[in-house]
Amino acid sequence: MASWRVLRRTLCTAAEAAAAPVPGSRWERLKKSKVGMWCRGLFTDYKEACREVVVGSWERPIKASIYASLLGGTWACFYTRPDQQAFEATLLDCSGQLGLLSPWIRNGTSDGHVQSLGKLRNEGRLRVLSLGILALAYQADYDPDATLYEAQCSNLSVPWRELHERVLDVGFVGRWWVLQSKMKDYDVNEEQFKDLPADMQATSAPSVQEVETSERLHKESWLPLTVEEEEEEETETNVTDRKEEESQIQALKEEQIEA
């Protein structure tokens, strides 16, 4: 009886061992694991998404072009977004341009704006905040290296709702728009023309006909002078008449001398 039980247990163990799957390689075990199944599903999802994008672009080319233009424009704006170094470099450039002019011919708006920005920069209160595709230049209350309690306490910092009141400039596609608009006609002092009549304070651009006439006259001024045939004939006639008069006068003088 005991031998029969041992034999049956041995046969059952052999049958289970034969029915059990043979363990594969490490790569096979990794693919059948939970991590492998998750990576396979993720790869399948991305593959289907890419296929749908290609098929949708082929079926709707206008819509795909619009989306591609938006994505390209967003990337270009992000890539050309100016930073604080670019703002300081632009500010120093504008300050140098104004420094080359006499104070009497500087534009008051341009000079005042650049002077205020330069003062904030020297005080360390000029900051630039990056917002992805654009940047904002704003003024702070204290220098970031200041050790005052008011400058270091986060509870006393400027709230976000007041940021729009402190914005000084907007940086977009590589330009600082407010600063460049303030620098327009920086070499024209409008205070010099305030005492002139109203019709002389503003000048209008010349028309196309006036510009063409001026260019034509300028080109003609460099051409050599040409004498027409009639003028040449009149000149020759005058010379001949003058010679005849001189000969008659000479003959009269000779007769008087002989007499």
Side-chain angles (χ1 to χ4, degrees), residues 3-33:
S3 60
W4 173 254
R5 291 179 179 176
V6 172
L7 180 61
R8 187 174 63 180
R9 185 177 298 174
T10 303
L11 294 175
C12 291
T13 303
E16 291 177 359
V22 179
S25 62
R26 183 178 299 177
W27 177 250
E28 293 293 336
R29 292 196 303 270
L30 181 61
K31 289 195 299 182
K32 294 180 181 180
S33 63

Side-chain angles (χ1 to χ4, degrees), residues 50-200:
C50 294
R51 187 182 65 82
E52 291 178 358
V53 169
V54 173
V55 174
S57 301
W58 182 263
E59 294 177 352
R60 299 180 178 86
I62 299 178
K63 185 178 180 180
S65 301
I66 294 174
Y67 285 163
S69 300
L70 291 176
L71 291 176
T74 303
W75 178 85
C77 294
F78 177 79
Y79 183 76
T80 58
R81 180 197 64 228
D83 53 2
Q84 185 164 359
Q85 294 181 354
F87 183 73
E88 293 181 357
T90 306
L91 177 60
L92 293 177
D93 188 16
C94 296
S95 179
Q97 292 178 3
L98 290 172
L100 295 175
L101 301 177
S102 171
W104 301 103
I105 61 175
R106 295 177 189 173
N107 189 295
T109 303
S110 303
D111 191 27
H113 186 70
V114 172
Q115 292 292 339
S116 61
L117 292 179
K119 181 180 179 181
L120 292 175
R121 177 182 175 274
N122 296 333
E123 294 176 355
R125 298 168 53 195
L126 189 62
R127 311 286 177 81
V128 175
L129 177 64
S130 176
L131 297 178
I133 61 175
L134 55 87
L136 297 178
Y138 67 97
Q139 62 176 351
D141 293 332
Y142 302 96
D143 188 279
D145 297 331
T147 58
L148 297 175
Y149 176 77
E150 293 82 358
Q152 299 296 330
C153 182
S154 59
N155 295 326
L156 299 178
S157 60
V158 179
W160 287 95
R161 63 176 179 273
E162 298 181 3
L163 182 62
H164 67 280
E165 300 177 357
R166 298 172 174 264
V167 172
L168 301 173
D169 210 329
V170 178
F172 186 66
V173 293
R175 296 178 58 184
W176 294 98
W177 295 87
V178 177
L179 181 57
Q180 291 194 0
S181 65
K182 295 290 186 180
M183 287 295 293
K184 184 179 180 180
D185 296 334
Y186 67 93
D187 55 348
V188 178
N189 187 5
E190 298 179 355
E191 297 295 329
Q192 294 181 343
F193 309 105
K194 63 181 182 180
D195 296 330
L196 296 177
D199 56 341
M200 297 180 63

